[in-house]
Amino acid sequence: MSEARGHTYTPVELLARLVAFDTTSHKNNLGLIAFVEEYLRGHGVASHRIVSEDGQKASLYATIGPADEGGIALSGHTDVVPVDGQDWTSDPFTLRAENGRLYGRGSADMKGFLAASLAAVPDFKKRKLKKPIHLAFSYDEEVGCIGVRPMIAELGKALPKPRMVIVGEPTSMQVVDAHKGPVRWNVNVKGRAAHSSMAHLGVNAVTYATRLIGELERMEAELKHRVIDVRFEPPYSTLQVTKIDGGTATNIVPVHCSFVFDIRALPGLRADEIEDRLRRFAEMHCLPEMHAIAPEAGIDIERVNAVPPFGAEPSSEVVALALKLTGQNETFGVSYGTEAALFQNAGAPSVVCGPGDIAQAHTADEWIAESEVANCMVFLDRLGAWAET
């Protein structure tokens, strides 16, 4: 780690170091966190770890400039999605430069932003900052924005609370002030097993699961016409059953069936509406018949993760700042989720703006254009000048 101490890296060099850490969500990220800690320490910046309950992962929070609340946080996640089953033409964890592109897992989503933010630290340190610039690096964003939540819980307590937050997800440096919110449920149906020749003695869990899925399909159709927002693609909230499993043998009435469904909700749609309607359907159209044969039968609907939809206020200070720093006059909405709403709901108004194209995220041979990293450095230079005022 000593090589990181006091060393000034280019953003591409830092990206190469960050990509080299395999921080796939089911693995730990402590090696990367230790590298960043040492790098920051070498530039006179103290940082604070927020460690996961099992001690295998950590978020990192650091402040440059006045050691108080206010200012702006640069937020990004350190985890990446798996490369399993993807056909890469080079080692995913070795950054490869070719024709103006930087290839590697996480290069676009979103270690490019982390690298640029870290590369800007020496410049931030040289400036006479009147407003603090915070770094907020999290874990397990890819599996439900898990790691950022304990960090957010410490803002205003153990950690200084920023006045606003820039989440650097890949937007091609466009200013995003709204996104959909992914919410996921597990549904488990328990019936009663019986020989298939005596089906009337059993309760077919697969049958009742399909009834529930039918109701979800009706809700899906309604969502396509309920609220239309052309800023998003598609312009409505989506609902999909994404996984199903049930039955044990062809001559046994299935006793168990489970499925997973999720929504990508437009700002304004409450996940409770979807869940409450499915529960009412189960209670009215499934459970009475099931219990008439098998009192032990049941339907369990569990919300396993929720990332709230994000919509900045029309008069948002951070949106106006991001437009000024990018030299743009238009904002956009996106269909993927980020940590922005979690920060905003905790009292730190947010915006999404970062280098890279979301179309490259999660793909084989993921890449970010070198020009995108350079554009982000210009953005951060302007941010540093703003923080001096």
Side-chain angles (χ1 to χ4, degrees):
M1 287 303 157
S2 59
E3 63 180 300
R5 188 182 296 275
H7 192 87
T8 300
Y9 292 91
T10 68
V12 174
E13 289 172 336
L14 277 165
L15 180 56
R17 295 302 304 267
L18 298 179
V19 166
F21 292 101
D22 180 357
T23 53
T24 307
S25 297
H26 66 271
K27 301 181 180 180
N28 78 62
N29 72 335
L30 298 181
L32 183 151
I33 291 296
F35 170 78
V36 174
E37 285 175 325
E38 189 74 3
Y39 172 83
L40 293 174
R41 189 179 301 118
H43 290 285
V45 178
S47 56
H48 181 87
R49 282 194 190 197
I50 305 91
V51 182
S52 62
E53 290 185 3
D54 63 6
Q56 295 302 301
K57 299 181 182 182
S59 294
L60 197 70
Y61 197 88
T63 299
I64 306 150
D68 52 24
E69 296 195 354
I72 195 160
L74 303 175
S75 173
H77 61 83
T78 62
D79 61 313
V80 298
V81 298
V83 299
D84 302 343
Q86 294 186 335
D87 186 18
W88 284 71
T89 57
S90 59
D91 179 2
F93 301 105
T94 299
L95 193 70
R96 173 171 61 91
E98 184 177 331
N99 298 324
R101 296 177 176 180
L102 302 168
Y103 293 87
R105 174 52 89 220
S107 56
D109 187 15
M110 57 180 299
K111 290 180 177 179
F113 179 75
L114 301 186
S117 298
L118 292 172
V121 167
D123 177 67
F124 291 158
K125 285 290 293 182
K126 291 176 184 177
R127 294 179 180 273
K128 297 179 180 180
L129 299 184
K130 295 181 180 179
K131 308 179 187 77
I133 297 175
H134 312 279
L135 303 180
F137 294 174
S138 63
Y139 63 89
D140 282 359
E141 187 272 348
E142 297 290 5
V143 291
C145 297
I146 293 172
V148 75
R149 299 174 197 251
M151 179 165 58
I152 289 175
E154 293 300 319
L155 297 180
K157 300 174 185 175
L159 305 175
K161 183 177 180 179
R163 192 168 87 217
M164 44 193 170
V165 178
I166 296 173
V167 178
E169 291 279 2
T171 68
S172 300
M173 294 307 298
Q174 294 180 321
V175 179
V176 168
D177 63 351
H179 67 62
K180 294 182 180 181
V183 187
R184 184 176 301 113
W185 289 264
N186 287 343
V187 179
N188 290 287
V189 182
K190 178 184 177 183
R192 175 184 284 180
H195 194 284
S196 59
S197 67
M198 301 295 286
H200 64 290
L201 300 179
V203 172
N204 191 317
V206 171
T207 295
Y208 286 99
T210 60
R211 286 195 189 180
L212 295 168
I213 291 172
E215 179 66 1
L216 291 173
E217 289 178 338
R218 286 184 284 275
M219 283 191 265
E220 176 191 3
E222 293 170 13
L223 288 172
K224 291 180 179 180
H225 304 284
R226 179 175 171 183
V227 177
I228 300 298
D229 189 334
V230 295
R231 300 180 71 212
F232 296 91
E233 177 59 36
Y236 48 82
S237 299
T238 59
L239 189 159
Q240 294 290 314
V241 175
T242 56
K243 186 177 180 181
I244 187 167
D245 181 67
T248 54
T250 58
N251 60 352
I252 301 175
V253 173
V255 65
H256 290 295
C257 186
S258 63
F259 64 91
V260 178
F261 75 96
D262 73 15
I263 60 171
R264 299 281 171 154
L266 288 172
L269 177 68
R270 294 191 313 109
D272 289 346
E273 298 177 32
I274 303 296
E275 183 174 325
D276 290 347
R277 177 167 163 179
L278 188 63
R279 290 187 184 279
R280 287 195 301 271
F281 181 86
E283 291 168 0
M284 295 177 61
H285 301 286
C286 299
L287 289 171
E289 294 180 11
M290 297 167 71
H291 288 158
I293 298 172
E296 73 277 15
I299 296 172
D300 179 60
I301 301 170
E302 178 189 14
R303 191 183 310 185
V304 292
N305 188 61
V307 177
F310 166 62
E313 294 295 327
S315 60
S316 170
E317 178 185 13
V318 69
V319 171
L321 175 61
L323 288 170
K324 179 181 178 180
L325 297 179
T326 58
Q328 299 168 14
N329 56 18
E330 182 181 7
T331 61
F332 296 87
V334 295
S335 293
Y336 56 86
T338 79
E339 298 169 337
L342 295 170
F343 280 105
Q344 182 153 293
N345 291 348
S350 302
V351 70
V352 186
C353 184
D357 188 336
I358 193 63
Q360 307 308 323
H362 302 187
T363 63
D365 288 340
E366 177 182 349
W367 58 270
I368 187 171
E370 291 186 60
S371 60
E372 282 286 301
V373 178
N375 289 340
C376 187
M377 293 304 298
V378 172
F379 176 90
L380 293 172
D381 179 67
R382 293 172 180 169
L383 178 67
W386 168 85
E388 288 185 300
T389 62

